[in-house]
Amino acid sequence: MTAHATTTALVSVEEYLCMLEKSDVKLEYRAGKVVAMAGAQAPHNIIAMNFAGELFACLKKAGCQIVGGDQLVKIEACKRYTFPDLVIVCQKAIYEKARNGLDALENPEVIIEVASESTELYDRTDKFKCYQTLQSLKEYVLVASTKKQVEVFRRHNHNEWILHIYDENDNLVKIGNCEVSLDDIYNNVEMAVEE
């Protein structure tokens, strides 16, 4: 998803949740600022659904849940609410209950973001820094939408993350205890040809 427009005046969480309830687009909350997220391009959407589909059976056997980009996630330490592309939870899900029914997940274990040219820098820096404050988070996955590359950041300890980069030289991508074919993640995705 692409960041679209930002509010100029700071708003409270309650105001944000009211805005979100009435909005026909996804809105992220960033410490008082509300950012509208534009729709994603076809490669982004295909990759996210392929990945979810391939992970589903493995996660189901393990008693885990995988949810798509409509799941709001609360990041308390950064005063943020985001809509990751995919979220995995294997423990009992904990939600911040909202009166409007837009409950925010507080304990994601794996967050998967499909990066586009317009979101990659944010996904890789500021957003990842905030995600790291979630004690429940074990893996952060960045999936390229312009080439076959999946980066998996695994938490080694509180402040240390180990990066594994999967590319066209790899057959399988490991997420938790699941393995997914790289080709299946990118099935039916047209890559831009580099000149």
Side-chain angles (χ1 to χ4, degrees):
M1 291 231 148
T2 306
H4 191 53
T6 307
T7 56
T8 52
L10 296 181
V11 300
S12 69
V13 169
E14 293 74 22
E15 290 170 317
Y16 160 70
L17 292 172
C18 287
M19 290 170 69
L20 187 59
E21 182 180 18
K22 297 171 186 167
S23 178
D24 56 356
V25 297
K26 291 179 188 172
L27 303 172
E28 284 196 353
Y29 183 80
R30 301 179 187 172
K33 294 181 181 176
V34 177
V35 180
M37 307 304 289
Q41 298 295 321
H44 177 285
N45 296 330
I46 294 168
I47 291 166
M49 288 304 96
N50 285 347
F51 214 154
E54 293 302 316
L55 284 169
F56 180 78
C58 173
L59 293 170
K60 183 179 176 184
K61 286 179 190 170
C64 302
Q65 303 171 37
I66 184 167
V67 291
D70 287 332
Q71 179 58 61
L72 189 61
V73 171
K74 178 182 180 182
I75 311 169
E76 179 71 36
C78 291
K79 296 184 172 100
R80 292 195 185 199
Y81 289 82
T82 66
F83 286 98
D85 292 311
L86 297 170
V87 180
I88 298 171
V89 181
C90 294
Q91 301 174 358
K92 180 174 174 49
I94 299 169
Y95 294 95
E96 175 187 66
K97 297 291 183 183
R99 59 174 169 32
N100 58 10
L102 296 168
D103 298 340
L105 181 67
E106 295 186 275
N107 65 330
E109 294 174 48
V110 177
I111 291 176
I112 300 171
E113 295 281 11
V114 180
S116 64
E117 287 182 25
S118 61
T119 65
E120 183 173 2
L121 182 61
Y122 174 57
D123 289 341
R124 182 176 295 290
T125 57
D126 198 35
K127 198 173 200 182
F128 181 34
K129 189 180 225 181
C130 279
Y131 283 152
Q132 289 177 50
T133 67
L134 295 166
Q135 296 302 309
S136 60
L137 191 65
K138 297 175 182 173
E139 293 182 351
Y140 179 58
V141 183
L142 269 179
V143 187
S145 60
T146 56
K147 61 184 174 183
K148 285 187 178 181
Q149 181 175 292
V150 177
E151 297 173 74
V152 180
F153 297 84
R154 292 184 179 92
R155 189 186 293 269
H156 179 66
N157 59 43
H158 178 67
N159 289 320
E160 189 175 350
W161 294 76
I162 297 172
L163 169 62
H164 189 113
I165 301 173
Y166 299 91
D167 59 25
E168 63 277 343
N169 298 314
D170 297 293
N171 293 325
L172 299 173
V173 175
K174 187 168 171 56
I175 305 295
N177 293 322
C178 300
E179 290 185 332
V180 178
S181 160
L182 190 69
D183 286 341
D184 287 339
I185 294 169
Y186 288 95
N187 184 46
N188 289 323
V189 177
E190 289 186 29
M191 296 289 166
V193 179
E194 293 183 14
E195 295 183 20

